[in-house]
Amino acid sequence: MSSLFEKDIHCPYCGEWISALIDCSVDEQEYIEDCHVCCRPINFKVHTTSDGDPLVTVSDENDV
């Protein structure tokens, strides 16, 4: 089973839907990934449930 999960999220800047690959092999993580549309930095907070599903929260750089 792959530990990568594809998740669609809204960019907090431009509002476009983008697809992000989430690494579920790490239970909790925070990182920054640029939007594929507007190139602004998106803060990702990921928590993996006991079932292996990722719970993803995104915010802009001012909502840390």
Side-chain angles (χ1 to χ4, degrees), residues 7-21 31-44 58-61:
K7 181 80 172 168
D8 291 331
I9 58 111
H10 265 119
C11 173
Y13 299 100
C14 67
E16 292 290 330
W17 283 101
I18 61 171
S19 183
L21 280 178
Y31 60 92
I32 296 172
E33 186 174 323
D34 289 343
C35 174
H36 304 245
V37 178
C38 70
C39 299
R40 302 279 309 267
I42 303 171
N43 294 319
F44 281 77
V58 295
S59 61
D60 67 42
E61 62 188 336

Side-chain angles (χ1 to χ4, degrees), residues 17-58:
W17 283 101
I18 61 171
S19 183
L21 280 178
I22 308 298
D23 181 2
C24 296
S25 67
V26 179
D27 291 337
E28 291 187 31
Q29 55 188 316
E30 291 185 34
Y31 60 92
I32 296 172
E33 186 174 323
D34 289 343
C35 174
H36 304 245
V37 178
C38 70
C39 299
R40 302 279 309 267
I42 303 171
N43 294 319
F44 281 77
K45 291 183 181 178
V46 180
H47 173 75
T48 305
T49 67
S50 59
D51 295 334
D53 296 328
L55 298 175
V56 180
T57 304
V58 295

